[in-house]
């Protein structure tokens, strides 16, 4: 071992030549004793140095163990950056920079809502006021809870939680959409509970779900689409001719099954699973159902078949309930119905000329319409998510279809002057696509598919597409007091509404697109149609659960649709 210059001088006494000129034996013996003593002292010093180093290492081990225990046990105050620090080696610096830009956009949107529309359903940024478009249930606030949590915006999350605990009141004389209230409010509260472990969210979710339950009290069990939150009287809107809407009736399964899992009360799950049982009795061979369902007989009517508005999320939930149920035999029929529907979807697929954009037609009777909603751009992500459940040949076929559809959806954005998509598109021979309804209300479906395809393929192209879409939102939709949609994607004229799903879905999917895959991993979480992640709970083959889920939960460690929007 090398020694320092300052310590080497003492060893000159141990050099034999030093004593050749000093014959006195006593002096030699004394110096020999000194040398031996120095050897012993030096060895002890080295041992002490090693002991010091070992002590430092042991101290560091204890500190790290303490930090891990603190992260596991601490409630929602744990900041998002903890997860980033743990994953530095895989966190691309460009991704990190883009993620921070999306986070800043969320802060801008949220602080504007907080300043001008706190506790109301949605913000009107241009006039700097709020509007209760969902009966005054705090839709934007509840929709944003999990986004705030995942992004590590702890101060904002805590303030929102306090409002939920003290001010959220469902006792309102208001005819609520069962679908919208389920995906935004029930889903948002359950996700906040799963992420934070705070029981106030579960209690509130149960309160609103109990108020919605009478909607399922029909002869067939197919729910009515609206219900008064005070008197519990359900009904369907007159413009449907008394029919229930397919997407509205078939998009409560994830939330209500989750609620039964977490409370131990089976009534919620029984209501929503009965809907699928009824529909399965007359489920067609192609798996395609029209958008109107008779709540008395439980049968489909003769109406439009679409993967866009009023049809979309029914098909999404067939797949996701299978995932939520751990892909066990208890939920096998969901997967079987979904695979039939994917064969039906394939029969609606066409390619445009001259550019061969792949798109999904709508069907009415035996005729097809070459029209595709931006809402249908959830389909690439859904198909990619379900492709792994097929054998290798079909898996490749459906993943290719997902990628082709995603390219079309991306071009919905790229082909307009503002680089933002219109509400729907028509396809004409020799002309490819043209905008139909030209507004944009900051929908999430295309970036949702970018997120899934990135997670499932690792292809960074989807990140670039998502970033381009985000930049278009920043350029065209950002205003002084939040974000607004466009009345026309060709002219860029702005509207006066910040839809709650922009915070719940669009910004969340963009943030996750630039986050490591360990943030809300797809084998542990399933997203509802409003992008609220719900924990996948172990489920046995008989359909039961090994343990009740209303126990105290550890918070999730974070990285640090509708859907029926309006154009006003």
């Amino acid at each position: 071992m090398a020694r320092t210059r300052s310590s080497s001088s003492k060893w000159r006494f141990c050099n034999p030549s030093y004593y050749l000129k000093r014959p006195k034996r006593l002096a030699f013996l004394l110096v020999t004793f000194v040398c031996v003593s120095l050897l012993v002292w030096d060895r002890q010093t080295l041992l002490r140095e090693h002991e010091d180093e070992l002590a430092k290492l042991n101290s560091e081990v204890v500190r790290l163990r303490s930090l891990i225990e603190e992260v596991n046990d601490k409630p929602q105050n744990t900041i998002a950056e903890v997860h980033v620090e743990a994953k530095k080696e895989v966190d691309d610096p460009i991704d990190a920079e883009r993620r921070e830009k999306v986070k800043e956009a969320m802060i801008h949107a949220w602080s504007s809502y907080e300043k001008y529309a706190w506790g109301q359903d949605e913000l009107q940024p241009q006039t700097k006021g709020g509007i209760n478009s969902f009966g005054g249930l705090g839709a934007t606030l509840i929709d944003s809870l999990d986004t705030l949590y995942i992004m590590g915006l702890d101060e904002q999350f805590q303030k929102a939680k306090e409002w939920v605990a003290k001010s959220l009141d469902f006792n309102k004389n208001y005819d609520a959409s069962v679908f919208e209230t389920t995906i935004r409010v029930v889903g948002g509260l359950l996700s906040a509970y799963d992420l934070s472990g705070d029981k106030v969210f579960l209690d509130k979710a149960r309160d609103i779900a109990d108020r919605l339950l009478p909607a399922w009290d029909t002869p067939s069990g197919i729910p009515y689409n609206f219900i008064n939150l005070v008197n519990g009287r359900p009904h369907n809107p007159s413009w449907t001719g008394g029919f229930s809407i397919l997407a509205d009736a078939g998009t409560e399964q994830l939330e209500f099954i989750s609620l039964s899992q977490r409370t131990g009360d089976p009534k919620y799950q029984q209501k929503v699973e009965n809907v699928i049982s009824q529909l399965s009795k007359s489920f067609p061979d192609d798996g395609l159902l029209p958008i109107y369902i008779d709540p008395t007989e439980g049968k489909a009517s003769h109406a439009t078949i679409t993967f866009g508005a009023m049809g979309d999320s029914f098909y999404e939930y067939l797949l996701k309930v299978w995932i939520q149920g751990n892909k066990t035999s208890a939920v096998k029929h969901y997967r079987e119905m979904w695979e039939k529907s994917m064969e039906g979807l394939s029969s609606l697929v066409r390619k445009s000329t001259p550019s061969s954009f792949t798109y999904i037609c709508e069907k009415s009777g035996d005729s097809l319409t070459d029209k595709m909603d931006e809402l249908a751009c959830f389909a690439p992500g859904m198909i990619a998510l379900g492709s792994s459940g097929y054998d290798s040949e079909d898996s490749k076929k459906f993943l290719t279809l997902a990628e082709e559809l995603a390219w079309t959806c991306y071009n919905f954005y790229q082909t307009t002057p503002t680089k933002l998509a219109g509400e729907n598109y028509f396809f004409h021979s020799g002309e490819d696509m043209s905008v139909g309804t030209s507004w944009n209300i900051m929908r999430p479906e295309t970036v949702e598919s970018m997120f899934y395809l990135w997670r499932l393929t690792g292809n960074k192209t989807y990140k670039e597409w998502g970033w381009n879409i985000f930049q278009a939102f920043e350029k065209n939709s950002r205003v002084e007091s939040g974000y607004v949609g466009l009345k026309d994607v060709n002219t860029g004229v702005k509207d006066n509404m910040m839809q709650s799903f922009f915070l719940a879905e669009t910004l969340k999917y963009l943030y996750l697109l630039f986050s490591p895959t360990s943030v809300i991993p797809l084998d542990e979480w399933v997203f509802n149609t409003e992008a609220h992640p719900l924990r996948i709970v172990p489920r046995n083959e008989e359909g039961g659960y090994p343990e009740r889920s209303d126990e105290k939960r550890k918070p999730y460690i974070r990285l640090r649709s509708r859907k029926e929007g309006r154009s006003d």
Side-chain angles (χ1 to χ4, degrees):
M1 178 180 291
R3 295 177 176 83
T4 64
R5 182 182 302 272
S6 59
S7 64
S8 61
S9 59
K10 63 181 180 290
W11 294 98
R12 69 184 185 277
F13 297 110
C14 299
N15 188 338
S17 62
Y18 181 84
Y19 297 100
L20 292 178
K21 298 177 182 179
R22 296 166 179 78
K24 293 183 180 180
R25 185 176 182 82
L26 181 59
F28 177 81
L29 291 174
L30 287 172
V31 173
T32 300
F33 173 77
V34 170
C35 290
V36 171
S37 298
L38 285 171
L39 283 169
V40 173
W41 175 82
D42 194 59
R43 178 164 182 160
Q44 289 174 337
T45 300
L46 291 172
L47 286 172
R48 281 195 298 271
E49 290 175 356
H50 283 297
E51 288 171 356
D52 289 342
E53 291 300 319
L54 287 171
K56 290 178 181 178
L57 288 173
N58 286 332
S59 176
E60 182 66 11
V61 168
V62 171
R63 189 187 71 82
L64 289 172
R65 284 178 177 171
S66 175
L67 178 61
I68 291 170
E69 290 174 359
E70 181 181 354
V71 166
N72 286 333
D73 295 336
K74 189 179 265 187
Q76 56 271 16
N77 293 328
T78 307
I79 61 172
E81 283 67 26
V82 170
H83 207 59
V84 176
E85 291 295 322
K87 293 291 179 182
K88 271 185 176 178
E89 72 280 2
V90 296
D91 195 8
D92 185 280
I94 295 176
D95 284 348
E97 181 181 354
R98 291 175 174 181
R99 188 170 63 241
E100 286 304 306
K101 292 288 187 182
V102 177
K103 183 175 179 178
E104 191 279 326
M106 178 63 184
I107 292 171
H108 178 63
W110 177 260
S111 60
S112 299
Y113 168 77
E114 190 175 22
K115 184 175 182 179
Y116 297 112
W118 182 250
Q120 297 185 69
D121 286 329
E122 290 177 307
L123 168 67
Q124 294 181 310
Q126 304 276 42
T127 51
K128 299 181 179 179
I131 183 172
N132 284 325
S133 40
F134 296 97
L137 305 182
T140 293
L141 189 147
I142 296 174
D143 243 355
S144 301
L145 286 167
D146 51 8
T147 306
L148 294 172
Y149 191 93
I150 290 167
M151 291 185 179
L153 298 173
D154 297 311
E155 182 179 342
Q156 295 90 329
F157 178 83
Q158 290 297 330
K159 184 175 179 180
K161 185 187 79 170
E162 183 178 357
W163 184 89
V164 170
K166 296 180 180 180
S167 302
L168 180 56
D169 178 19
F170 298 126
N171 193 40
K172 297 182 182 296
N173 187 20
Y174 170 70
D175 287 350
S177 163
V178 175
F179 166 74
E180 296 288 359
T181 307
T182 297
I183 66 172
R184 298 180 195 240
V185 181
V186 179
L189 291 168
L190 285 174
S191 184
Y193 170 65
D194 279 0
L195 289 163
S196 70
D198 197 311
K199 199 168 181 292
V200 66
F201 299 119
L202 180 61
D203 292 340
K204 290 291 186 178
R206 189 168 193 169
D207 180 3
I208 186 61
D210 285 340
R211 295 172 185 270
L212 298 177
L213 273 185
W216 279 265
D217 294 338
T218 66
S220 67
I222 302 295
Y224 291 116
N225 295 153
F226 287 84
I227 190 168
N228 188 282
L229 296 179
V230 171
N231 60 40
R233 284 198 290 268
H235 66 92
N236 279 335
S238 59
W239 56 267
T240 69
F243 289 106
S244 297
I245 298 169
L246 175 64
D248 289 25
T251 310
E252 288 92 8
Q253 284 70 27
L254 285 178
E255 296 84 358
F256 277 63
I257 290 171
S258 293
L259 189 57
S260 282
Q261 291 171 349
R262 285 143 184 76
T263 62
D265 190 336
K267 66 182 180 182
Y268 309 104
Q269 180 171 339
Q270 290 168 353
K271 290 285 188 182
V272 295
E273 291 212 302
N274 178 62
V275 173
I276 303 303
S277 297
Q278 289 295 323
L279 294 177
S280 68
K281 291 177 181 179
S282 56
F283 203 60
D285 291 338
D286 64 3
L288 299 178
L289 289 177
I291 58 175
Y292 294 139
I293 306 295
D294 186 344
T296 301
E297 296 184 2
K299 296 180 180 179
S301 68
H302 296 286
T304 301
I305 290 171
T306 178
F307 281 83
M310 299 193 289
D312 49 6
S313 49
F314 164 72
Y315 303 101
E316 175 188 357
Y317 272 35
L318 290 179
L319 174 67
K320 288 185 174 179
V321 174
W322 176 70
I323 294 171
Q324 180 191 43
N326 308 112
K327 307 175 184 179
T328 59
S329 60
V331 288
K332 183 181 179 182
H333 60 293
Y334 284 91
R335 174 76 194 198
E336 291 171 344
M337 292 173 72
W338 182 78
E339 289 191 5
K340 281 187 176 182
S341 298
M342 291 307 97
E343 289 302 318
L345 181 150
S346 298
S347 73
L348 303 179
V349 169
R350 298 290 185 272
K351 288 184 180 292
S352 73
T353 57
S355 303
S356 291
F357 288 120
T358 302
Y359 61 96
I360 306 171
C361 293
E362 294 184 349
K363 185 176 182 180
S364 182
D366 294 327
S367 63
L368 297 181
T369 302
D370 295 296
K371 169 181 172 286
M372 182 175 171
D373 289 351
E374 197 281 338
L375 279 166
C377 286
F378 85 99
M382 174 192 68
I383 295 168
L385 184 62
S387 65
S388 61
Y390 289 105
D391 60 34
S392 58
E393 183 177 346
D394 281 340
S395 177
K396 183 178 180 180
K397 178 184 76 172
F398 280 103
L399 185 58
T400 298
L401 174 59
E403 292 172 328
E404 292 176 353
L405 288 169
W407 171 239
T408 300
C409 291
Y410 177 59
N411 277 277
F412 284 175
Y413 286 77
Q414 292 301 296
T415 53
T416 72
T418 58
K419 305 301 181 184
L420 290 177
E423 182 73 355
N424 51 53
Y425 284 77
F426 288 89
F427 295 83
H428 305 284
S429 179
E431 299 178 11
D432 286 326
M433 63 181 72
S434 61
V435 177
T437 305
S438 61
W439 70 60
N440 178 288
I441 54 175
M442 303 185 289
R443 291 198 185 277
E445 286 75 23
T446 298
V447 293
E448 173 184 354
S449 285
M450 302 300 102
F451 161 71
Y452 278 113
L453 282 162
W454 149 245
R455 282 284 182 97
L456 296 165
T457 69
N459 187 342
K460 294 183 178 180
T461 298
Y462 299 113
K463 291 187 175 188
E464 296 305 315
W465 292 357
W467 179 245
N468 291 340
I469 292 172
F470 173 71
Q471 288 182 303
F473 280 128
E474 287 291 286
K475 180 179 179 180
N476 295 281
S477 294
R478 184 166 178 146
V479 295
E480 177 190 355
S481 302
Y483 288 83
V484 295
L486 301 183
K487 292 181 178 181
D488 191 328
V489 295
N490 297 307
T491 65
V493 176
K494 296 173 172 56
D495 67 20
N496 187 29
M497 182 69 71
M498 187 171 78
Q499 308 281 348
S500 81
F501 55 66
F502 179 67
L503 292 78
E505 301 185 74
T506 309
L507 291 179
K508 183 188 294 140
Y509 280 129
L510 284 166
Y511 184 82
L512 292 174
L513 181 63
F514 304 117
S515 299
T517 59
S518 55
V519 182
I520 315 294
L522 295 180
D523 59 346
E524 297 178 16
W525 298 82
V526 60
F527 289 87
N528 86 336
T529 197
E530 191 79 2
H532 296 307
L534 302 170
R535 283 188 189 271
I536 297 173
V537 175
R539 180 167 179 166
N540 59 39
E541 294 294 331
E542 290 72 37
Y545 304 95
E547 59 184 31
R548 283 180 51 157
S549 303
D550 55 354
E551 60 190 283
K552 183 178 180 181
R553 288 167 173 261
K554 288 184 178 179
Y556 176 73
I557 306 304
R558 297 155 291 163
L559 175 67
R560 293 304 131 209
S561 72
R562 230 225 262 319
K563 300 282 188 213
E564 294 171 357
R566 295 158 303 287
S567 61
D568 50 328

